[in-house]
Structures are given as structure tokens and as C-alpha cells.
Amino acid sequence: MNQPKIWQRRALGILAVLLLAAGAVALYQRPYPVDPDRGNLAACVEDRYLQSRGQQTMPPFTLHEDAAVTLGNRTWMLWEVGENLDLGRVILEESLTGRYRVTGLSYGGGNFREEIVEADGRQYLLFGGRNTGERIASAACTLDGVPY
């Protein structure tokens, strides 16, 4: 008579562990609303913009995913915002499950954005922008005394 009770207890224990694991995964993914293929990235950027600025409407914008750079679990990409096409950057953080969340939005005047980023113990200079009028032939910088 004890055999069925032990089997039932084990089955209930395994079921409880599986439910807890599924709940933990769901809770972990919740702060990462961007799909792995980034198909809903524009909607998530708009949500983040509206929440951070307390506004009801979003100015028109264009994401430049083709200009994205990924270092570690973070991705930087350029975007243009508003009628003046203010240039900025969007920062995404990737979760262990391959989903993303928007961790940074910025934009302003000018044609270039630069930032020094550290990843895996190395420093990287991220430099991106647009060459309106095609008047820029090259760019040079010095990082830690090394010219590039």
C-alpha cells in the first residue's frame, strides 16, 4: 500500500519542480520584451521612449539595425528621431534566453555618435553616424596613445 503513495508523492514533487522552473523562466523573460529576431523592436523602443519621457505620442523615427554593433550581451544601433532626423543610439541588452530589452535611448543634433565601451577586458571606440553631403573622407582618433 505504501508504493502508490510514494509514486504519487514523487510525481507531485516533480510536477512542482517543473512548475517552479517554468515560472522562474517566465519571470526572468518578462523584463526582456524584444523578441530574439527583433521583430517587435520598434514597438519596444516606442514604449521605452514614451515611458521615460511621460509623453503620449512618439515622433517619427527610423532604426538602423544594419549599423548595429554587438559586444558581449549588449548591442548598440543608430536611430533617427523626429522631423529634424536627430541622430542617436539605442542600446539593447540580451538575456540568457536570447530576448532583448532596451537599456538606453539618446538622440540630439549632429551627424555622429561616439562612445568608449569596455567589454571582455578590452576597450572599444564605437563611432557611427551619417555623411550628409559626402564631405567626410576619413576619420582619425587616438585611444590610449594609439592612433587609428
Side-chain angles (χ1 to χ4, degrees):
M1 274 210 219
N2 282 342
Q3 282 299 3
K5 288 184 180 181
I6 291 173
W7 180 83
Q8 289 173 344
R9 286 183 194 167
R10 285 185 183 165
L12 285 175
I14 290 171
L15 182 62
V17 168
L18 290 175
L19 287 174
L20 283 172
V25 168
L27 286 175
Y28 176 76
Q29 290 190 102
R30 188 173 181 174
Y32 294 90
V34 182
D35 294 334
D37 67 356
R38 299 185 196 161
N40 65 337
L41 177 59
C44 292
V45 165
E46 183 173 349
D47 288 346
R48 172 70 187 256
Y49 177 93
L50 295 174
Q51 288 173 1
S52 66
R53 287 172 174 72
Q55 297 179 354
Q56 299 296 318
T57 59
M58 172 81 189
F61 67 95
T62 303
L63 292 167
H64 295 284
E65 292 188 62
D66 58 326
V69 173
T70 300
L71 296 171
N73 70 335
R74 296 177 73 191
T75 299
W76 288 260
M77 72 178 60
L78 296 173
W79 72 323
E80 294 174 306
V81 183
E83 294 179 18
N84 294 330
L85 298 178
D86 291 330
L87 187 66
R89 62 158 171 65
V90 174
I91 302 174
L92 303 175
E93 180 182 310
E94 185 177 8
S95 73
L96 296 174
T97 60
R99 298 183 65 81
Y100 297 88
R101 68 177 164 194
V102 179
T103 59
L105 292 176
S106 68
Y107 64 94
N111 289 319
F112 295 98
R113 291 291 172 263
E114 72 283 332
E115 182 176 353
I116 296 176
V117 175
E118 188 169 332
D120 301 324
R122 298 183 67 184
Q123 289 186 331
Y124 297 89
L125 172 64
L126 301 182
F127 183 80
R130 55 188 171 209
N131 189 6
T132 56
E134 298 181 14
R135 294 182 285 182
I136 300 169
S138 66
C141 71
T142 301
L143 183 60
D144 289 335
V146 178
Y148 294 95

